[in-house]
Amino acid sequence: MAEQLRIEVQRSDEDIESLMREVDALRRDLLELDVDNVERAEAGPVPPGSRAGTLELANELLVTLPAAMTLLKEVVFVVGHWRSRAPSPSVVTLKIGDHRLSLTGVDDAEQRRLIDAWLRAASADSGAPEVQGG
C-alpha cells in the first residue's frame, strides 16, 4: 500500500506567485525521484459558479511514496536541499501518518538528529523496514 506524505511550505511574506513558483520547483525536484506521484494538495471544492472542480493549495504538495517507503530519506534530503537554496526563508513541514517534521533554521546537527528520529518513527509505524538516517 502506498504512503502519502504531505509537504507544506510556510513563508512570512504574502507573495503567492513566487511561492507557487518555488513549490513548483520543489515538485519538479521530487518528480526526479522514483516516487509514485507528486501533486498539489486540494483545499476543497471551489465556490459555486467557478470553473474548476477543486481548489489547489499554493503551498502544499502530496507525495505518493511506494509501499516500502525506501524513498522517504531521499525525499527529505531533496526537500532540505530545495529549502536551503530557496530565495525566501521558509519553514517546510512534512507529515506522514501522525508524524510531523518541520525543517527550520536550527543548526545542522540538531536538524539531522530530528530527521533521523522522524524517519525511524515514520518507518516503524508504516510496517516498513527502518529507514536509516545519516
Side-chain angles (χ1 to χ4, degrees), residues 3-133:
E3 295 282 343
Q4 286 277 348
L5 172 68
R6 181 176 292 268
I7 300 174
E8 178 183 355
V9 179
Q10 298 173 337
R11 292 190 337 194
S12 57
D13 67 18
E14 295 184 15
D15 184 356
I16 298 298
E17 289 181 22
S18 71
L19 174 62
M20 288 183 77
R21 283 192 302 273
E22 289 178 29
V23 172
D24 283 342
L26 174 57
R27 181 178 182 273
R28 286 189 300 275
D29 289 350
L30 291 168
L31 284 170
E32 291 181 17
L33 300 175
D34 197 20
V35 297
D36 290 344
N37 193 20
V38 181
E39 60 190 10
R40 287 203 181 272
E42 294 178 356
V46 296
S50 299
R51 286 183 163 175
T54 58
L55 183 62
E56 293 180 336
L57 296 170
N59 67 328
E60 289 190 31
L61 294 173
L62 287 178
V63 181
T64 305
L65 299 167
M69 285 188 30
T70 55
L71 291 173
L72 189 56
K73 182 179 176 183
E74 290 180 61
V75 168
V76 174
F77 175 79
V78 167
V79 171
H81 182 68
W82 169 85
R83 184 186 171 279
S84 70
R85 69 178 198 275
S88 301
S90 60
V91 173
V92 180
T93 302
L94 296 94
K95 184 174 187 266
I96 190 164
D98 293 331
H99 302 284
R100 182 181 306 267
L101 172 69
S102 292
L103 302 176
T104 64
V106 300
D107 70 81
D108 290 341
E110 178 66 7
Q111 191 75 67
R112 180 84 258 146
R113 186 186 68 72
L114 294 169
I115 290 170
D116 289 346
W118 183 79
L119 287 168
R120 283 191 302 276
S123 294
D125 280 358
S126 75
E130 185 173 308
V131 177
Q132 297 296 315

